[in-house]
């Protein structure tokens, strides 16, 4: 247990009682729904935000006000791509290796791990996210253990069992197994949304991809997939060769690929991109790929520090922005990242792409994640009616500096984290 993080619990968040603070006030409130409010307040009722504004706007009738001086209250961050159950591989894998070699090393590093280890990793990962201001995670895992663990965690979660299977003959059984796992989980609620997804176009047969992509009843969040992450993946689809292709052939010797298409074009030609999908990475895209992603309203999750870990080239940010593709941020797993802080991801992104306005960077970790989830106005912003998922970070703010720049480029102490109005870190 991390110091300062309250114990886990089951069930929906308690309704704010009369002894709990209803109004939070800080030096600034950054709403992402309008300009920052100096001396701003947030009024919370029944797990939702009732009002945002100055104290005069609160209809204050003597309710307790929780003052958080030298702080900014802002929306809780949304990690749009992580694998919490892989936390036990933290620090074990060398940087900069070819992707297939990393996969082999990861498998070895997980040798002998059982359900308890995966669950512990997912639990610690969720706590690390909360302590660093992340209130929502879109998580993927192969074992199903994180789906079990996150049901009892005070973080808002969209955990997915991630299916793999290049052999078309296993597709039916894999989906049936996932459905069985889902049926055995605690029921979904406002905070917990378990689902089923696939891993990647290179690790799943088209039949498995289709069965999962088309079955919208398998999840409440978007269909997520790793796509166009590495140069090896592009070589596999475009040229039918390379280290990743050889790796996949060893797993499934009768693998056949219609070469010539990029991973995105391959998915598109086969009708495997449901509208509103969420694709992780997308480092290697051409103009046609970007057009397809925009046309299918696919959101892209960029994972800045994971990309740096692998030394992946690419990520055509300018083209994606120009096409209006919804861009989110994720940490990926601790097998290719040193931590799960989205503040660190924003800082890395800001260093790599200083031309992007800082408010837009913050939107990638708030508003855009909510849009990818189909929850615009509900998450990622502070406005009346939204879930009361907010954080307070310590900041004195120098008037000469841009507040958004300070948020995305500095290390912050997270003073308070509330999910559904419940203070889970304070
Ligand atoms: Zn991933």
């Amino acid at each position: 247990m991390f110091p300062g993080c309250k114990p886990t619990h089951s069930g929906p968040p308690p309704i704010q009682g009369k002894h709990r603070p209803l109004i939070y006030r800080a030096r600034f409130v950054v709403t992402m729904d309008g300009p920052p409010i100096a001396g701003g307040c947030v009024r919370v009722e029944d797990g939702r935000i009732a009002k945002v504004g100055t104290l005069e706007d609160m209809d204050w009738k003597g309710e307790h006000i929780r003052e958080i001086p030298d702080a900014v209250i802002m929306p809780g961050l949304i990690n749009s791509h992580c694998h919490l159950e892989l936390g036990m591989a933290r620090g074990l894998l060398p940087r900069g290796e070819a992707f297939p070699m990393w996969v082999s090393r990861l498998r070895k590093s997980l040798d002998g791990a059982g359900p308890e280890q995966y669950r512990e990793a997912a639990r610690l990962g969720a706590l690390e996210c909360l302590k660093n201001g992340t209130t929502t995670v879109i998580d993927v895992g192969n074992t199903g253990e994180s789906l079990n663990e996150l049901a009892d965690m005070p973080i808002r979660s969209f955990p997915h069992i991630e299916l793999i299977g290049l052999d078309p003959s296993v597709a039916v059984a894999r989906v049936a197994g996932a459905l069985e796992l889902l049926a055995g989980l605690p029921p979904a609620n406002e905070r917990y949304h378990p689902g089923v997804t696939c891993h990647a176009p290179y690790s799943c047969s088209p039949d498995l991809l289709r069965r999962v992509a088309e079955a919208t009843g398998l999840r409440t969040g978007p269909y997520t997939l790793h796509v166009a992450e590495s140069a090896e993946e592009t070589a596999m689809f475009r040229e039918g060769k390379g280290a990743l292709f050889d790796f996949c052939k060893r797993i499934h010797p009768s693998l056949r690929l219609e070469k010539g298409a990029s991973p995105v074009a391959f998915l598109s030609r086969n009708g495997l991109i449901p509208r509103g999908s969420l694709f992780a990475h997308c480092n290697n895209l051409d103009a046609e790929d970007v057009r397809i992603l925009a046309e299918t309203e696919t959101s892209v999750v960029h994972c800045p520090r994971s990309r740096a870990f692998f030394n992946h080239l690419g990520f055509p940010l300018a083209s994606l922005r120009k096409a209006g593709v919804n861009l989110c941020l994720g940490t990926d797993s601790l097998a290719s990242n040193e931590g799960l802080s989205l503040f660190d991801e924003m800082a890395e992104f800001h260093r790599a792409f200083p031309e992007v306005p800082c408010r837009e960077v913050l939107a990638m970790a708030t508003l855009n994640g909510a849009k990818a989830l189909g929850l615009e106005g509900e998450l990622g912003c502070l406005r009346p009616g939204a879930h009361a998922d907010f954080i307070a970070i310590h900041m004195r703010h120098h008037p000469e500096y841009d507040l958004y720049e300070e948020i995305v480029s500095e290390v912050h102490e997270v003073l308070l984290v509330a999910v559904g109005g419940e203070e889970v870190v304070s």
Side-chain angles (χ1 to χ4, degrees), residues 277-425:
S277 291
L278 178 63
F279 285 181
H281 305 302
C282 293
N283 293 315
N284 297 285
L285 302 175
D286 62 21
E288 176 64 3
D289 295 336
V290 172
R291 189 194 64 73
I292 291 168
L293 295 175
E295 193 179 282
T296 54
E297 295 173 18
T298 296
S299 296
V300 167
V301 191
H302 181 50
C303 300
R305 290 191 299 164
S306 179
R307 173 174 172 256
F309 178 94
F310 287 112
N311 247 336
H312 288 320
L313 301 175
F315 193 63
L317 178 70
S319 310
L320 287 163
R321 285 176 80 211
K322 193 169 170 203
V325 173
N326 184 47
L327 298 174
C328 311
L329 282 179
T331 57
D332 217 353
S333 79
L334 288 172
S336 61
N337 201 342
E338 62 210 35
L340 296 171
S341 166
L342 278 177
F343 282 109
D344 290 337
E345 299 301 333
M346 288 192 285
E348 174 76 19
F349 183 88
H350 180 54
R351 269 193 296 276
F353 302 103
E355 71 275 20
V356 179
C358 290
R359 187 189 180 279
E360 191 176 324
V361 180
L362 183 57
M364 291 171 73
T366 53
L367 295 173
N368 299 5
K371 184 175 181 184
L373 287 166
L375 292 172
E376 279 177 291
E378 295 267 310
L379 293 177
C381 65
L382 304 181
R383 61 185 279 187
H387 289 290
D389 291 11
F390 61 94
I391 64 176
I393 58 172
H394 183 257
M395 190 190 292
R396 291 214 161 81
H397 177 55
H398 195 289
E400 281 181 21
Y401 292 100
D402 175 67
L403 186 57
Y404 293 110
E405 182 164 9
E406 286 180 304
I407 291 172
V408 306
S409 60
E410 291 179 7
V411 175
H412 300 289
E413 185 188 355
V414 177
L415 305 170
L416 170 77
V417 178
V419 179
E422 182 190 6
E423 293 181 18
V424 294
V425 179

Side-chain angles (χ1 to χ4, degrees), residues 81 83 140 226 280-281 332-333:
H81 183 71
H83 307 251
V140 283
H226 296 76
H281 305 302
D332 217 353
S333 79

